[in-house]
Amino acid sequence: MSDINRFDIESLGASEYMSPLELSTVKGDRIFNFVSESDRLLFDLSMDHYNQCLTDGVTPICMEKAGPRQDIFFDCGNATAAIVTCGGLCPGINNVIRGLVMALHYFYGVKKIIGIPYGYEGLNPEKGHELVELTPDKVKDIHQFGGTFLGSSRGGQDVSVMVDTLEDNKVDMLFAIGGDGTLKGVNAIGEEISKRGAKISVVGIPKTIDNDIDLIDESFGFETAFDVASPILRDAHNEATGAYNGISIIKLMGRDSGFIAASAALAMPVVNFVLIPEMDFALDGEDGFLKTLEKRLKQKKHAVIVVAEGAGQQLFKDRQIVTDASGNVQHEDIGVFLKEKISEYFKGRSPVTIKYIDPSYIVRCAPANSSDSVYCSGLAYHAVHGAMAGKTKFVASRVNNRYVYIPISEVTKKRKKIDLEGEFWFSVLQSTGQPFFLG
């Protein structure tokens, strides 16, 4: 596929039904119009890309605009939808579940909505998890709580078995809420469906607290995560300043990407060091972290250190690579490691008081804040519009602050990471005052 059409979305076939939504092309002209299949939004908004396209005489790379279509693929009254949540917890999952159910029921009149319990395990009958019926009344209040109403699990199941379950239950649309592994899983389900010639739409809604889904502006729950983490940093700063040479170490989530740690530090600018997976750093040496920390204590008599869980893994000798059920590498505990190394370094040099705080699981179980709640509803609604139009193997998301549809295969090619030469990381360095390089 060329760059020009790399973002084209697959379709189950011709749309033969009229949407039940009464928008401006149906009644009047005072409300939102249907989105045309020809509506596209530019991916790269830079002037350099625009000029290069003019020079080369090519069409800029575009994405499909998300939204309701006038012609839809499924017969609303006879359609069945299913929802599954997979992977780790994240703020906003229940908001998305609620949004999907409400949109399917009230926008399109879908009468049967199935909840798949405990992730992809729920699509494997051998696991013994019974499917549940979802109604507006059952989900109307779940947005007030963190976690997932449906339960979750890590790891995949046999794709053929999962598709058998979908077919046995006459599912027409599957909405999978999850991160990189979940999205790859639902794409594989979509591939198996295509091989069978079945007409089931599979849709991904990108969920990862680490904000490491490529191409999109951000994944839902991320903003809540650093919002919840910010007052913890404030309190950690109070702990640090309350003692002579006080040091607070706060470990936040961020397996491969340090967006939560960096964003929380920007939101609560009392942090002096941010250590992230994208940045290798040395402990020892004149420009190493420990010496730099010592200089900080001599000047200010306290320090606040925020470390992402995946940072500094290169510092562990004889490290054994172990993965979880989702295939993610399980990292060594960098927070405890730093506490021990700092304590060893300052022993016999000067007295220090170290406080170690790990609020990771509290952060990820929080309910969505107002901003994330709005985002979750938008993702849910646009996912439903796309599925009803017969689109498949896509994610509903936001790029350049506009809702779009992107093929799952494009967002799962690599993980999004902080650009150490980019403006965002430079902002973190300016806020903390830490050196550009440590070691």
Side-chain angles (χ1 to χ4, degrees), residues 108-248:
Y108 290 98
V110 174
K111 297 175 182 176
K112 188 173 183 180
I113 306 170
I114 296 171
I116 300 168
Y118 302 110
Y120 288 139
E121 283 189 8
L123 287 173
N124 183 351
E126 292 185 359
K127 295 295 182 178
H129 304 313
E130 292 187 9
L131 304 180
V132 297
E133 181 184 358
L134 297 178
T135 64
D137 190 57
K138 283 185 179 179
V139 303
K140 62 184 175 63
D141 296 321
I142 64 173
H143 62 291
Q144 301 179 50
F145 306 97
T148 166
F149 177 75
L150 293 175
S152 186
S153 66
R154 293 191 182 275
Q157 301 294 320
D158 184 278
V159 174
S160 182
V161 171
M162 291 193 287
V163 175
D164 286 344
T165 302
L166 294 175
E167 291 188 321
D168 290 345
N169 287 276
K170 296 180 172 53
V171 171
D172 299 295
M173 294 163 275
L174 172 65
F175 298 93
I177 306 168
D180 183 75
T182 303
L183 297 178
K184 288 178 178 176
V186 78
N187 202 56
I189 290 173
E191 294 290 345
E192 175 64 20
I193 289 169
S194 297
K195 289 178 184 177
R196 299 187 184 192
K199 300 299 182 182
I200 305 174
S201 169
V202 296
V203 183
I205 300 175
K207 173 232 68 172
T208 163
I209 199 171
D210 292 349
N211 194 38
D212 58 1
I213 300 294
D214 197 31
L215 302 180
I216 69 176
D217 289 354
E218 65 180 43
S219 48
F220 77 82
F222 163 66
E223 191 167 312
T224 301
F226 74 80
D227 186 21
V228 173
S230 295
I232 297 172
L233 303 190
R234 176 200 62 207
D235 296 343
H237 175 257
N238 293 337
E239 275 287 350
T241 57
Y244 177 76
N245 283 348
I247 301 171
S248 286

Side-chain angles (χ1 to χ4, degrees), residues 292-309:
T292 306
L293 175 60
E294 184 178 20
K295 293 175 183 176
R296 161 74 194 182
L297 292 179
K298 285 181 179 179
Q299 293 174 350
K300 299 292 185 178
K301 309 304 182 214
H302 75 277
V304 178
I305 305 162
V306 174
V307 58
E309 63 179 308

Side-chain angles (χ1 to χ4, degrees), residues 263-372:
S263 297
L266 285 173
M268 185 59 64
V270 296
V271 178
N272 310 116
F273 298 95
V274 178
L275 306 177
I276 57 175
E278 294 89 339
M279 175 188 70
D280 285 344
F281 62 94
L283 286 178
D284 303 312
E286 190 62 30
D287 296 322
F289 172 71
L290 294 173
K291 191 68 175 180
T292 306
L293 175 60
E294 184 178 20
K295 293 175 183 176
R296 161 74 194 182
L297 292 179
K298 285 181 179 179
Q299 293 174 350
K300 299 292 185 178
K301 309 304 182 214
H302 75 277
V304 178
I305 305 162
V306 174
V307 58
E309 63 179 308
Q313 295 301 302
Q314 77 283 354
L315 300 174
F316 293 92
K317 297 178 180 179
D318 303 321
R319 180 183 171 216
Q320 299 293 318
I321 303 300
V322 179
T323 59
D324 62 19
S326 298
N328 300 307
V329 174
Q330 293 184 333
H331 292 314
E332 301 290 341
D333 195 327
I334 184 63
V336 173
F337 178 82
L338 279 180
K339 180 182 179 182
E340 293 173 351
K341 291 298 181 182
I342 291 170
S343 181
E344 291 173 9
Y345 179 82
F346 284 99
K347 188 174 183 179
R349 293 173 185 261
S350 59
V352 294
T353 300
I354 306 173
K355 304 295 184 183
Y356 174 55
I357 304 164
D358 181 359
S360 299
Y361 291 96
I362 295 174
V363 169
R364 79 173 193 171
C365 291
N369 65 14
S370 297
S371 180
D372 257 328

